[in-house]
């Protein structure tokens, strides 16, 4: 009971911290519609000195809170998995962050496009995400063939239908809430990519093979997002790869195993 209470507190804090923080007055989240002679100053910000020719940039309270909320969401996922509560936690995360996106979309014109829910650079984004994902599919097929788990029946089809919604949520958290905010802080892609990749991979601990694989895929997808700014192919392919990984690589044959792992891994 104590663990479930802690989990609820972590989830609530994650959503509340991002939702109540002040908007960014320096970059892409500037207040729309204000006269040009009016400047809005955030309550608090953080400056990250980079040295060299790059000047320090400031992150608003909202941006710092968003990144903190991503971390709290990841910690909550690990706690939920350890308590066999992923079945309740995942819908709560999707509903909470979906509400956050909805509120900002209603109050900030252009927010969805800015976040990556866009058709911009679609051709190149889908092409390269397809190429990366085909390589991953090929690797999983080899593993599935070797282990005799190359199954296309049963759980695979419903996973392919349902999992992309969760994977798109994850890509939004990693790419828009973390990668984009780190870029706004002035960090170079060579620094941002490993940070985002490790963050994405770490939520799959303690399955170290899956952690390593998702860290690699996280690096590839983070690179594509920084270049194209498009979440759609990343979310869709993440969902498809995850569905096949559960069946072909992890050999999980029930919803309980998908959400909480096998009883005797």
């Amino acid at each position: 009971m104590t663990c479930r209470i802690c989990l609820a507190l972590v989830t609530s804090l994650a959503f509340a911290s991002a939702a109540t923080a002040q908007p960014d007055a320096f970059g892409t989240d500037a207040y729309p519609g204000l006269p040009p002679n009016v400047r809005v100053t955030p309550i608090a910000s953080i400056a990250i000195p980079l040295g060299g020719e790059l000047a320090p940039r400031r992150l608003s309270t909202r941006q710092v809170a968003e990144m903190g909320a991503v971390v709290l969401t990841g910690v909550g996922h690990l706690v939920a998995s350890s308590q066999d509560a992923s079945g309740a936690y995942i819908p709560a995360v999707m509903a909470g962050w979906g509400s956050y996106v909805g509120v900002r979309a209603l109050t900030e014109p252009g927010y969805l496009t800015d976040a990556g829910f866009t058709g911009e650079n679609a051709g190149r984004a889908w092409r390269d995400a397809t190429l990366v994902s085909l390589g991953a599919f090929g690797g999983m097929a080899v593993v599935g063939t070797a282990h005799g788990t190359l199954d296309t029946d049963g759980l695979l089809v419903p996973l392919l239908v349902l999992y992309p919604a969760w994977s798109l949520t994850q890509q939004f958290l990693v790419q828009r809430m973390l990668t984009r905010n780190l870029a706004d802080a002035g960090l170079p892609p060579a620094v941002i990519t490993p940070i985002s990749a490790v963050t994405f991979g770490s939520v799959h601990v303690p399955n170290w093979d899956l952690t390593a694989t998702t860290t690699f895929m996280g690096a590839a997808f983070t690179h594509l997002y920084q270049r194209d700014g498009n979440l759609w192919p990343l979310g869709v392919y993440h969902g498809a790869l995850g569905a096949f990984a559960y069946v072909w690589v992890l050999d999980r044959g029930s919803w309980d195993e998908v959400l909480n792992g096998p009883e005797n891994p």
Side-chain angles (χ1 to χ4, degrees), residues 98-259:
S99 299
Y100 179 74
V101 172
V103 169
R104 293 200 64 180
L106 289 173
T107 57
E108 301 174 35
Y111 177 76
L112 291 179
T113 298
D114 177 71
F117 299 103
T118 176
E120 295 181 2
N121 302 315
R124 182 175 63 178
W126 280 100
R127 180 198 66 196
D128 291 349
T130 299
L131 293 175
V132 171
S133 299
L134 284 175
F137 281 125
M140 289 190 295
V142 171
V143 172
T145 301
H147 293 164
T149 56
L150 205 64
D151 184 15
T152 57
D153 299 324
L155 193 62
L156 184 58
V157 172
L159 274 175
L160 285 171
V161 173
L162 298 175
Y163 194 69
W166 171 229
S167 63
L168 188 61
T169 302
Q170 293 178 72
Q171 288 300 319
F172 169 77
L173 294 180
V174 173
Q175 308 304 348
R176 177 57 184 91
M177 296 288 95
L178 183 61
T179 297
R180 178 64 176 275
N181 285 336
L182 290 175
D184 286 348
L187 296 179
V191 175
I192 296 172
T193 298
I195 292 176
S196 296
V198 169
T199 300
F200 176 58
S202 64
V203 300
H204 299 90
V205 171
N207 188 322
W208 298 109
D209 290 339
L210 188 59
T211 299
T213 302
T214 52
T215 298
F216 174 79
M217 291 303 299
F221 280 9
T222 297
H223 168 73
L224 294 179
Y225 181 78
Q226 290 181 93
R227 190 192 68 181
D228 300 320
N230 197 315
L231 283 175
W232 290 118
L234 307 184
V236 170
Y237 277 121
H238 176 180
L241 289 168
F244 279 93
Y246 278 124
V247 178
W248 287 2
V249 178
L250 301 178
D251 192 23
R252 296 180 180 176
S254 69
W255 284 110
D256 183 64
E257 286 184 346
V258 167
L259 293 172

